Amino acid sequence: MPKEIAKAYDAKEHEDNIYKMWEESGVFNPDNLNLPADAPTYTIVLPPPNITAKLHLGHAAMLAIEDLMIRYKRMKGFRALWIPGTDHAAIATQNVVEKKLLREGISRHDLGREKFILEVDKFLKETQTIILNQTRKMGSSLDWSREAFTLDEQRQRAVKKMFIDMYNEGVIERGERVINWCPRCKSTLADDEVEHKDQKTILYTFKYSKDFPFSISTTRPETKLGDSAVAVNPKDARYKDLVGKVFNVNFVGIDLKLKVITDYEIDQGFGTGALGVTPAHSMIDAKMAEVNNLKIIKVIDEDANIREGFQEYSGKTALEARKMIVEKLRAAELLEKEEEIDNSLSICYRCDTAIEPLPSKQWFVNVNKELARLGGKSIKQKAIEAAKIKDIKFIPERFEKIYIDWMENLHNWCISRQIWFGHRIPVWYKGYETYVGDEAPSEDGWTQDEDSLDTWFSSGMWTFSTLGWPDNYKDGIKSGDLARFTPTQVLETGFEIITLWVSRMIMMTFFALDEVPFTHVYLHGMILDDKGQKMSKSKGNGIDPLDVIEKFGTDSVRLSLLSGNTPGNNMRLSEEKIGSNKNFVNKLWNISRFILSKSERGLANI
């Protein structure tokens, strides 16, 4: 008697069993396939999701697109490898765990470093399990035998090796420079980790003192306590006779020595065309200070308060000090104008706190250091060149210009973070001595650097650390997986991460291997709701991938994420679309049902 096939496809009854059969068969591992020795390779490394939270629809789209690419190449006879993994996301993860502990009335300092890391480990094991389960539910044909984590033992060895090599060649260096500081996270941020929020603010126009010859304009009067110059445009005729002169002034009770300098970046049309130069609290001003040999006066501390030595302002928050200064200027009849203007506020990408630029001693990657191993070029030059000569191609092509523009203006990359979770910097100190290495020297008295490395340092090594570097790289010769599968063919990721991740991967791969990490960068857009709005929990318009998989099945969700999805463009998605694709999937089921119903042999083998 032929076996009866249900008229409606029940995804719950079949999908989990099918995926289990696929995974247990070993077919996701190209080493298990009977391929010719000269079969071409096709490799994708999965952009590792952060372990801070479960996957959203953007991740689901990424999984669907990459799975489509890898399955197609696998069917074409390629040695197709898709590497899975997760990212420890140091700052974000530490923030989540710290907030959880604070709800329990505990701070990380109450626990100490070791016990706090144990709490983080417990959290990450839970979230990793959820994320990996979600990835499997999406039907992703990843080679789980090669699963990696940006903080696992292999990655820790690779990161230490990279840091030591870069340090020994002068690419990594330590110095005091103006950095982006988050007063809430109590950590530095790279330039591309700083976001910007449009706001209204007040532009104040005033004189430092009654005997100062002209007025300046600023949105932050509190930083003027540390001014050491006033900058004007060299083309501005109003200040031509004052350039080079030095004025000793008493600004709201604080003595300042101000030199009038010139800089072509000064906008003659902004305010009075004259800007107070505060070298300690502006990267632009810090450059002017270097050129003009100006004194650097640090006004604001790591808590966003005014430092000691500034009379009644000391200990006050920056906003409190601003109000005090404005009141004193008004009382002295030095305040000429207050006008509301549009302003872009720099904020932390993790907690939305206003960023304070301030000088701090940190570790940096010198992106402009010329290296013999790269033919006298820097990692920045090599990364730009790779795009210009099309060794790396961007899809869509318009993102090539965005990448090159960013890289050409790239500053040295601050890689030290004032957090406990992550790759601890492999540097030890003893008095004035510094030692860089895998472990501390054998003699007593050495103390390890308290900071951890920027997460992007380890994830920047993702394409080659997951394929055996440094073990599979000796004397400039690759072996094993590194020889078989690098450079990889495609990095498929969201376009918003070009500066954060794509650029880092390209520079670090050039340093380690003097080659590109991938030949193509495929950039997908955001998944929006049916009204074209960004999905969020607060708006109540978010769609959980597991919820719609439970309701409609994985095939319906994957088809909905792929159909109408074009590289570099945002896509709208609704449950209605997924529901209609469920009907299409059921039609495919019924086509198969009809064919098999006509073949007793086919039914007997179901």
Side-chain angles (χ1 to χ4, degrees):
M1 185 76 182
K3 183 177 177 180
E4 192 64 35
I5 303 176
K7 292 181 180 179
Y9 172 60
D10 186 353
K12 295 178 188 175
E13 186 178 333
H14 300 288
E15 287 182 348
D16 286 348
N17 292 332
I18 291 171
Y19 190 85
K20 184 181 178 184
M21 178 187 69
W22 284 342
E23 189 175 346
E24 290 177 351
S25 72
V27 295
F28 297 163
N29 183 343
D31 299 341
N32 296 332
L33 304 179
N34 187 22
L35 295 168
D38 61 349
T41 61
Y42 188 83
T43 312
I44 302 175
V45 289
L46 177 71
N50 292 354
I51 59 168
T52 49
K54 59 186 180 181
L55 303 185
H56 50 67
L57 271 179
H59 293 111
M62 173 184 73
L63 290 168
I65 293 166
E66 291 179 28
D67 198 34
L68 178 67
M69 292 175 174
I70 213 76
R71 286 178 185 268
Y72 175 75
K73 291 295 183 178
R74 194 180 286 133
M75 289 190 294
K76 294 279 286 183
F78 283 69
R79 197 178 303 278
L81 172 63
W82 189 18
I83 302 174
T86 48
D87 193 336
H88 68 286
I91 290 179
T93 302
Q94 175 155 321
N95 282 346
V96 170
V97 177
E98 280 198 78
K99 287 178 182 177
K100 176 177 175 291
L101 290 172
L102 286 173
R103 288 194 294 269
E104 300 167 11
I106 306 168
S107 78
R108 65 180 167 112
H109 299 287
D110 294 331
L111 293 176
R113 189 169 192 142
E114 288 186 15
K115 288 184 179 178
F116 176 75
I117 295 301
L118 290 176
E119 289 293 322
V120 177
D121 286 342
K122 281 195 292 186
F123 169 78
L124 72 85
K125 284 181 174 64
E126 293 171 5
T127 54
Q128 268 184 325
T129 301
I130 294 169
I131 288 168
L132 297 176
N133 176 58
Q134 285 182 299
T135 305
R136 286 178 165 90
K137 288 289 286 185
M138 277 296 297
S140 311
S141 59
L142 290 147
D143 180 4
W144 294 105
S145 71
R146 288 178 166 91
E147 182 187 339
F149 176 47
T150 55
L151 198 56
D152 62 22
E153 186 178 339
Q154 168 63 20
R155 256 45 62 185
Q156 289 191 46
R157 290 196 301 111
V159 164
K160 285 180 182 177
K161 166 74 171 166
M162 177 66 89
F163 186 99
I164 294 165
D165 286 355
M166 294 181 102
Y167 175 83
N168 288 338
E169 296 201 31
V171 178
I172 286 180
E173 56 193 24
R174 194 178 188 220
E176 184 164 289
R177 299 170 192 167
V178 175
I179 48 86
N180 303 300
W181 179 262
C182 175
R184 200 215 70 82
C185 296
K186 294 290 187 291
S187 181
T188 58
L189 297 174
D191 290 350
D192 41 16
E193 290 175 318
V194 176
E195 294 185 347
H196 300 277
K197 181 173 73 174
D198 292 335
Q199 64 166 15
K200 296 287 185 181
T201 194
I202 303 298
L203 179 69
Y204 301 92
T205 299
F206 57 87
K207 283 186 176 182
Y208 287 100
S209 63
K210 286 188 176 180
D211 56 352
F212 194 72
F214 57 89
S215 305
I216 68 157
S217 298
T218 183
T219 59
R220 300 198 67 191
E222 67 277 12
T223 65
K224 303 298 99 186
L225 299 172
D227 279 6
S228 53
V230 178
V232 297
N233 193 298
K235 296 180 179 178
D236 198 328
R238 293 173 291 178
Y239 307 110
K240 184 178 179 182
D241 295 336
L242 295 170
V243 172
K245 290 188 176 181
V246 176
F247 297 88
N248 293 302
V249 302
N250 185 275
F251 173 62
V252 292
I254 304 297
D255 290 329
L256 300 177
K257 186 176 183 179
L258 304 172
K259 182 180 180 180
V260 181
I261 63 172
T262 60
D263 192 287
Y264 281 102
E265 295 298 314
I266 302 299
D267 182 356
Q268 298 178 61
F270 180 79
T272 65
L275 298 179
V277 179
T278 319
H281 299 288
S282 164
M283 292 183 185
I284 295 171
D285 291 8
K287 286 183 181 177
M288 287 192 272
E290 187 177 352
V291 172
N292 292 278
N293 194 28
L294 301 176
K295 186 177 180 181
I296 296 173
I297 306 166
K298 187 174 179 180
V299 177
I300 299 171
D301 66 16
E302 284 73 11
D303 294 318
N305 296 330
I306 305 299
R307 298 176 73 230
E308 290 299 315
F310 291 92
Q311 300 178 20
E312 70 265 40
Y313 311 107
S314 296
K316 300 291 192 294
T317 68
L319 289 177
E320 288 170 343
R322 182 183 303 176
K323 289 178 183 177
M324 293 170 65
I325 291 168
V326 169
E327 286 173 6
K328 286 200 172 191
L329 289 170
R330 188 179 290 118
E333 298 183 346
L334 295 171
L335 185 62
E336 298 177 358
K337 191 190 299 184
E338 297 176 67
E339 55 186 314
E340 189 177 71
I341 63 168
D342 293 321
N343 177 254
S344 180
L345 179 68
S346 298
I347 58 173
C348 173
Y349 79 122
R350 287 299 177 192
C351 67
D352 294 340
T353 300
I355 291 298
E356 283 292 351
L358 49 82
S360 181
K361 198 167 189 178
Q362 302 291 339
W363 289 96
F364 295 86
V365 168
N366 184 341
V367 297
N368 296 304
K369 174 73 174 179
E370 295 176 350
L371 298 168
R373 67 162 65 195
L374 299 181
K377 296 179 180 179
S378 67
I379 54 175
K380 174 178 170 177
Q381 288 173 317
K382 292 288 285 188
I384 294 170
E385 181 181 76
K388 287 185 173 180
I389 66 174
K390 308 297 183 186
D391 281 352
I392 297 176
K393 296 178 181 176
F394 286 82
I395 304 169
E397 192 174 353
R398 69 178 185 272
F399 286 102
E400 179 188 298
K401 185 178 186 305
I402 294 172
Y403 166 79
I404 291 174
D405 287 348
W406 169 262
M407 290 300 300
E408 287 180 338
N409 292 288
L410 184 65
H411 305 298
N412 287 348
W413 165 24
C414 180
I415 56 172
S416 43
R417 299 290 180 269
Q418 289 63 53
I419 55 176
W420 287 351
F421 180 57
H423 292 274
R424 194 163 177 183
I425 291 177
V427 177
W428 284 260
Y429 308 105
K430 184 180 180 181
Y432 293 104
E433 294 181 78
T434 299
Y435 175 78
V436 178
D438 285 333
E439 297 177 351
S442 55
E443 66 266 26
D444 294 336
W446 289 92
T447 304
Q448 188 171 1
D449 197 303
E450 288 288 324
D451 292 351
S452 295
L453 283 166
D454 176 15
T455 300
W456 301 107
F457 191 89
S458 53
S459 59
M461 302 169 60
W462 195 234
T463 56
F464 56 90
S465 71
T466 53
L467 290 166
W469 189 93
D471 300 337
N472 290 343
Y473 192 67
K474 303 295 180 187
D475 300 321
I477 298 172
K478 298 189 289 186
S479 62
D481 278 358
L482 199 64
R484 282 194 296 272
F485 297 110
T486 62
T488 65
Q489 276 62 53
V490 177
L491 175 72
E492 192 283 329
T493 190
F495 61 73
E496 75 281 359
I497 212 163
I498 290 177
T499 59
L500 284 165
W501 190 40
V502 177
S503 63
R504 306 278 201 275
M505 296 177 82
I506 296 171
M507 288 190 292
M508 296 190 77
T509 308
F510 269 115
F511 181 87
L513 299 171
D514 192 12
E515 66 181 23
V516 296
F518 28 72
T519 55
H520 294 80
V521 179
Y522 181 104
L523 298 157
H524 64 252
M526 292 175 61
I527 304 298
L528 309 175
D529 69 9
D530 57 344
K531 295 181 177 62
Q533 296 179 322
K534 186 177 179 179
M535 292 186 185
S536 72
K537 290 180 182 177
S538 60
K539 290 180 183 176
N541 64 345
I543 300 176
D544 187 310
L546 289 187
D547 288 347
V548 285
I549 285 173
E550 176 71 16
K551 191 172 180 179
F552 301 110
T554 302
D555 285 333
S556 307
V557 174
R558 283 161 57 104
L559 181 57
S560 301
L561 290 166
L562 290 168
S563 60
N565 194 335
T566 55
N569 296 315
N570 296 334
M571 186 183 82
R572 299 186 183 193
L573 185 67
S574 64
E575 285 204 11
E576 287 74 19
K577 179 179 179 181
I578 301 172
S580 66
N581 280 324
K582 180 185 178 183
N583 295 333
F584 179 75
V585 168
N586 199 65
K587 287 182 180 179
L588 295 177
W589 170 267
N590 280 320
I591 290 169
S592 300
R593 179 172 172 269
F594 174 77
I595 294 170
L596 291 171
S597 68
K598 300 300 180 182
S599 168
E600 287 195 19
R601 184 170 178 272
L603 283 167
N605 285 281
I606 295 176

